[in-house]
Amino acid sequence: EKIRSGEFPLSVSAAQALPIPVKTQFTHVKSKIVKMKLAALALLAGSASAYQVTPTMTFSLGKFGKKAPAKAKAAAPKVISGSSPSADAWANAGPSTALPFATAPATLDGSMLGDVGFDPLGFSTVPVGAWFKGFDGREGTLGDLTWYREAELIHGRIAQLAVVGFLAPGLFGTLPGNEWTGVDAYSKTNPLEAFSAVPGLAILQIFLFMTYLEVRRINIIKEEGENYTPGDLRIGQGEGRWNPFGLEYSPEAYEEKQLQELKHCRLAMIG
């Protein structure tokens, strides 16, 4: 105890042999641990800086160790300027023969038979094509009114038959019925009542006949190609056509008959 109190001097070797308090030992160990952590952090920082990813480096998880090809920049969309064909047709519009108070688009220049400049909705300024040729056929050609004339004639002919069907029963009487179809199956003069009174097989006959004509028309259009004449079903005068009435018109008279049919078609569609 005297030695601990400092009354007697103690040599260095003797001092080292004395036990060190526990608190002092814990502080010494803690200091060493902190120094070791700092050294480890310094080593990790150095290693990380050695493997730093540069902005130009790319990685692919699928192919480790190989650079992924750089993505090409998307091309800028082309800007198409200029007016549309429809706008150009209306910009160059002229007076309409059918409607003197209105104008007709430039696509109706009077070169087609029956063209009187009647197109208030501008259908002739929109390119069209045959529906059975897919999207390529629908592109059509601006200014070529062949397909519109084809549609006008086909619808006009159907309308003419409809007018006859509306008027004929009241003017000339109806067809007789029988026990199988019904005695009064064809006695209705009102077309709306007649449609629901006739047998279903009669309606089917009309549908099949119309289908046959439509298939025949499409085949003729495909066969003739650019040489096709609108509305031509190969009926009437001409070589290789069905001409039961022996019609033989001159070119001038034949053109006049074509114009008459066109006018009758338009009247029937209005009726």
Side-chain angles (χ1 to χ4, degrees):
E1 292 182 358
K2 290 182 178 182
I3 294 174
R4 291 181 181 275
S5 61
E7 294 181 2
F8 295 96
L10 185 67
S11 63
V12 175
S13 57
Q16 289 177 347
L18 293 176
I20 301 174
V22 176
K23 185 176 181 180
T24 304
Q25 294 179 359
F26 178 77
T27 304
H28 182 69
V29 172
K30 185 177 180 181
S31 175
K32 287 186 176 182
I33 293 174
V34 171
K35 290 181 179 180
M36 292 176 64
K37 287 184 177 180
L38 292 176
L41 288 175
L43 290 175
L44 290 175
S47 301
S49 62
Y51 290 95
Q52 184 179 2
V53 180
T54 60
T56 57
M57 184 178 296
T58 57
F59 293 94
S60 173
L61 294 177
K63 296 181 180 180
F64 182 79
K66 294 184 180 180
K67 288 186 178 181
K71 294 184 179 180
K73 294 183 178 179
K78 295 183 179 179
V79 179
I80 302 175
S81 60
S83 59
S84 65
S86 179
D88 292 339
W90 283 111
N92 299 301
S96 172
T97 305
L99 302 174
F101 55 85
T103 58
T107 48
L108 300 181
D109 55 4
S111 59
M112 178 173 280
L113 182 67
D115 178 11
V116 290
F118 181 81
D119 189 14
L121 299 180
F123 287 116
S124 64
T125 65
V126 181
V128 294
W131 59 268
F132 50 83
K133 291 185 178 180
F135 290 104
D136 294 336
R138 296 180 189 181
E139 292 178 357
T141 304
L142 186 64
D144 184 5
L145 304 180
T146 301
W147 192 246
Y148 282 113
R149 175 53 53 85
E150 174 76 12
E152 184 179 25
L153 286 172
I154 296 302
H155 289 92
R157 290 168 181 173
I158 295 175
Q160 290 182 84
L161 291 175
V163 170
V164 174
F166 265 73
L167 299 178
L171 296 175
F172 306 104
T174 60
L175 298 174
N178 52 48
E179 295 180 358
W180 181 71
T181 61
V183 178
D184 298 331
Y186 303 106
S187 62
K188 306 293 183 180
T189 57
N190 186 323
L192 299 180
E193 295 178 356
F195 184 79
S196 59
V198 298
L201 290 177
I203 302 297
L204 180 61
Q205 288 177 352
I206 298 175
F207 175 77
L208 293 177
F209 180 70
M210 293 170 59
T211 303
Y212 163 75
L213 292 179
E214 185 68 7
V215 173
R216 174 181 171 82
R217 183 177 69 91
I218 293 176
N219 290 334
I220 294 175
I221 294 175
K222 291 181 178 180
E223 183 179 342
E224 296 290 338
E226 296 181 355
N227 299 323
Y228 174 72
T229 301
D232 184 15
L233 294 177
R234 295 177 179 173
I235 300 176
Q237 71 180 47
E239 185 179 356
R241 298 172 180 271
W242 185 52
N243 189 8
F245 300 103
L247 303 176
E248 291 293 340
Y249 295 109
S250 63
E252 294 78 10
Y254 188 69
E255 183 175 312
E256 180 64 25
K257 294 298 180 182
Q258 288 179 317
L259 182 59
Q260 290 176 3
E261 181 192 21
L262 188 59
K263 291 180 178 180
H264 293 155
C265 287
R266 292 170 177 173
L267 286 174
M269 287 188 288
I270 293 175

